[in-house]
Amino acid sequence: MGGAGILLLLLLAEAGAGVAWRPPKGKCPLSCSCSKDSALCEGSPDLPESFSPTLLSLSLVRTGVTQLKAGSFLRVPSLHLLLFTSNYFSVIEDDAFAGLSHLQYLFIEDNEIGSISKNALRGLRSLTHLSLANNHLETLPRFLFRGLETLTHVDLRGNQFQCDCRVLWLLQWMPTVNASVGAGACAGPAALAHMQLRHLDPKTFKCRAIELSWFQTVGESALGVESFSYQGEPHIILAQPFAGRCLILTWDYSLQRFRPEEELSGEPLAIFLPAPAACLVGLPCPTGLICPLLPDSLTAPSVVSCKPLVLGLRLFVLAARLWGGSQLWSRPSPGLRLAPTQALAPRRLLRPNDAELLWLDGQPCFVVADASKAGSTTLLCRDGPGFYPRQSLHAWHRDTDAEVLELDGRPHLLLASASQRPVLFHWSGGRFERRTDIPEAEDVYATRHFQASGDVFLCLTRYIGDSMVMRWDGSMFRLLQQLPSRGAHVFQPLLIARDQLAILGSDFAFSQVFHLDPDKGLLEPLQELGPPTLVAPRAFAHITVASRRFLFAACFKGPTQIYQVHELDLSA
């Protein structure tokens, strides 16, 4: 019983000094011994109730009570001390001590308590001493001590605390409270067993996580997806080859969903492909499906990439197409439609496979990777009203992907091709010059980069074999990690809020989401993406709108899926 027992004996001695006092008949329950202001009950089958309403001290020992329910002590509102020891109850419910506004000492020691509700101590505004020592508690609910501003002593020793994210709040609370806290030691996990809680560093706990859950479906397949901001609003553009268009989506603040921008502009709509019977013009389909509507902005048969560029009020979209030639579309101002303004390098871009936007010497440029033998990857830069070829790159190599990155403070361009290892170019003297290639990186279909902790990392997609993660060492990219990826066409890093993710899409298996461990510098598995299952994913993009974060997954053999990103607090 320790300190609590000594304190109890002193109080009982003070109350019982002199001639023994006998309470009025019926005010001392059986199995209890009572004095003028105190009662000691031992072996009672349930919670005794018929006490004097002026009782100041109550001790319950070895009772048959299995749980403390709400309002258990409403009939003794004047209590100053309440002690439980060697009882068998295991649960304390919300408001178990309601009405005890004068209680100063609460000792719940040497019982079998494994669970205590977060509002169990609510209303104890005079409490100064609290002991939950020597029970079976593995954790305590957050906000258990909320409102207990008068606490001066807390004893939590002798419990079976699991020192995981569930005790993080306790570690953060202890230094902020004006009370001496005996927290005791950890019972687990094994790495922390027997370590005192007061010696744990809250900063070492990783108690944030993210989760992606399905939100909406766009009812057409797509090869590419990009996010961009136009007139202060976030937008998404999808390259839909079978529908023959670049589809621009925006957020509908009324319906709280994404829908084609043309629906919001009030322009007339037309059904472009056979639509489900339940799809109505101007309304979303059931279960979040966006009906296949003909956009009045940008039709582009066999489009493989739609790359947006915003310059003030003007919106440009480069539409790279397999047949019919690549085009530049333009919207001079927000109130006008997109319209084709220029055919782009028709003799060089014969089979474009990817397009990227970059800025060189203060001017916007596009680089288009061409996968034909007769064509060539081409750099197009703005000159007057249009974009014109500035340089041909990597002719005859059938490039499948272009990636723009900055290394050593200079623009670089990385080209992946079907015929050789990825080649790195750097911007020098007004043109791109070959710098190096990437060793041990055969059969790379595409590359994407990201930055973390001052380092530049590269994700390399391989359809056959393992995809790779590399890190720039100042002169070349070095292998850091390999991930099994049979059937992959995309391995895309995304920085969503403060979480660095990378998504490995597969044609033959579930797409995997990885999270960068900042301590290890490695990608760790986070979750599989789905359901619904992604069918041949080709690109991913994220967008933040209305304080919510979304991930778009463009799929070649199925509809585009939209997932919402949720941040989880594992310490809650």
Side-chain angles (χ1 to χ4, degrees):
M1 189 177 299
I6 296 174
L7 179 62
L8 175 63
L9 292 176
L10 290 175
L11 291 171
L12 290 175
E14 180 182 348
V19 180
W21 176 83
R22 294 184 177 275
K25 186 177 181 180
K27 294 301 183 181
C28 188
L30 295 176
S31 73
C32 297
S33 299
C34 303
S35 65
K36 182 177 181 180
D37 298 318
S38 64
L40 171 63
C41 303
E42 183 173 0
S44 175
D46 49 26
L47 197 63
E49 295 183 352
S50 54
F51 294 106
S52 167
T54 60
L55 192 70
L56 298 180
S57 171
L58 174 61
S59 301
L60 300 168
V61 182
R62 289 188 288 275
T63 67
V65 178
T66 57
Q67 61 182 357
L68 293 183
K69 298 182 179 180
S72 294
F73 302 95
L74 289 174
R75 297 188 180 184
V76 281
S78 59
L79 280 180
H80 284 203
L81 182 146
L82 180 58
L83 180 143
F84 302 87
T85 186
S86 301
N87 294 284
Y88 302 104
F89 59 87
S90 58
V91 177
I92 302 179
E93 295 184 357
D94 284 343
D95 300 307
F97 307 102
L100 300 184
S101 59
H102 303 290
L103 191 70
Q104 300 177 32
Y105 302 90
L106 177 59
F107 301 99
I108 309 175
E109 302 175 335
D110 298 292
N111 298 285
E112 297 184 359
I113 301 169
S115 174
I116 181 170
S117 299
K118 67 177 181 179
N119 295 316
L121 306 179
R122 183 161 52 190
L124 299 181
R125 59 175 181 266
S126 301
L127 194 66
T128 59
H129 291 67
L130 172 66
S131 176
L132 297 172
N134 301 318
N135 286 288
H136 297 166
L137 293 167
E138 293 186 357
T139 186
L140 293 174
R142 180 180 286 190
F143 306 125
L144 176 65
F145 305 131
R146 181 167 54 186
L148 307 184
E149 308 297 339
T150 57
L151 276 177
T152 59
H153 296 81
V154 179
D155 191 354
L156 303 174
R157 294 171 296 177
N159 283 288
Q160 304 296 311
F161 286 124
Q162 296 298 310
C163 294
D164 50 26
C165 287
R166 293 174 294 174
V167 302
L168 176 60
W169 76 268
L170 182 61
L171 303 181
Q172 296 170 333
W173 173 81
M174 287 192 296
T176 66
V177 67
N178 293 321
S180 62
V181 181
C186 302
L192 299 177
H194 308 300
M195 182 175 291
Q196 295 292 316
L197 267 72
R198 67 176 181 272
H199 293 157
L200 299 178
D201 183 0
K203 296 179 181 178
T204 63
F205 284 72
K206 299 177 181 179
C207 299
R208 270 189 71 259
I210 62 171
E211 181 181 75
L212 291 87
S213 61
W214 177 82
F215 178 76
Q216 190 178 349
T217 295
V218 180
E220 284 295 337
S221 60
L223 273 176
V225 57
E226 299 274 348
S227 62
F228 67 99
S229 178
Y230 183 58
Q231 294 298 291
E233 286 294 326
H235 291 70
I236 285 285
I237 188 167
L238 293 166
Q240 298 182 325
F242 298 129
R245 64 188 179 187
C246 294
L247 177 64
I248 298 177
L249 301 177
T250 191
W251 180 253
D252 188 320
Y253 286 90
S254 297
L255 296 177
Q256 295 290 293
R257 307 192 77 75
F258 292 95
R259 61 191 307 169
E261 183 187 38
E262 289 70 34
E263 287 191 50
L264 298 179
S265 67
E267 296 291 338
L269 299 171
I271 299 298
F272 184 57
L273 294 174
C279 287
L280 300 177
V281 175
L283 293 176
C285 294
T287 67
L289 183 70
I290 290 181
C291 304
L293 300 172
L294 173 62
D296 59 2
S297 56
L298 203 168
T299 57
S302 68
V303 65
V304 296
S305 180
C306 302
K307 186 63 61 173
L309 167 64
V310 177
L311 295 176
L313 297 177
R314 300 196 68 179
L315 170 63
F316 296 92
V317 176
L318 182 150
R321 304 191 301 173
L322 291 178
W323 299 285
S326 298
Q327 294 177 318
L328 184 70
W329 290 62
S330 172
R331 175 189 289 171
S333 64
L336 301 177
R337 291 185 178 185
L338 280 163
T341 58
Q342 182 187 0
L344 297 172
R347 296 184 180 181
R348 305 189 193 194
L349 301 178
L350 303 181
R351 191 182 174 188
N353 203 68
D354 182 38
E356 296 296 334
L357 172 68
L358 67 162
W359 289 78
L360 298 171
D361 300 329
Q363 289 296 320
C365 299
F366 293 102
V367 60
V368 183
D370 192 273
S372 68
K373 287 185 177 180
S376 64
T377 295
T378 302
L379 178 67
L380 302 152
C381 292
R382 193 181 187 199
D383 187 1
F387 286 77
Y388 299 95
R390 176 83 172 264
Q391 182 182 358
S392 291
L393 292 153
H394 222 217
W396 308 102
H397 284 292
R398 302 175 62 185
D399 295 327
T400 56
D401 179 79
E403 176 69 353
V404 177
L405 65 163
E406 185 174 295
L407 297 171
D408 308 323
R410 290 188 297 171
H412 282 67
L413 178 64
L414 188 60
L415 296 180
S417 70
S419 59
Q420 65 176 35
R421 296 179 296 192
V423 177
L424 184 66
F425 297 82
H426 66 99
W427 185 249
S428 177
R431 60 184 290 110
F432 278 110
E433 300 287 351
R434 189 182 190 278
R435 179 172 180 178
T436 185
D437 63 7
I438 298 182
E440 302 177 6
E442 308 291 344
D443 302 317
V444 172
Y445 177 78
T447 62
R448 293 290 182 268
H449 82 285
F450 66 94
Q451 296 185 14
S453 302
D455 290 324
V456 178
F457 297 83
L458 196 63
C459 294
L460 298 94
T461 309
R462 301 177 72 197
Y463 187 78
I464 299 175
D466 294 343
S467 289
M468 296 178 286
V469 181
M470 293 187 168
R471 182 169 54 201
W472 180 252
D473 69 357
S475 61
M476 65 175 58
F477 283 100
R478 302 285 187 181
L479 181 63
L480 183 67
Q481 191 175 5
Q482 290 182 297
L483 299 170
S485 61
R486 181 173 175 266
H489 278 95
V490 57
F491 185 17
Q492 189 159 340
L494 294 168
L495 181 62
I496 302 180
R498 45 184 170 157
D499 296 290
Q500 181 61 60
L501 307 182
I503 306 177
L504 186 59
S506 174
D507 286 8
F508 307 131
F510 288 107
S511 295
Q512 296 281 343
V513 183
F514 295 87
H515 183 270
L516 181 69
D517 187 315
D519 297 326
K520 299 178 182 177
L522 298 174
L523 294 176
E524 301 285 349
L526 180 65
Q527 72 173 84
E528 292 179 344
L529 203 54
T533 302
L534 301 181
V535 185
R538 291 295 181 268
F540 299 94
H542 79 279
I543 187 172
T544 300
V545 60
S547 301
R548 299 161 73 180
R549 300 182 179 94
F550 298 95
L551 173 74
F552 281 71
C555 298
F556 180 55
K557 297 182 180 180
T560 295
Q561 304 293 351
I562 308 173
Y563 297 87
Q564 185 169 354
V565 183
H566 304 277
E567 184 172 324
L568 306 178
D569 183 357
L570 303 181
S571 67

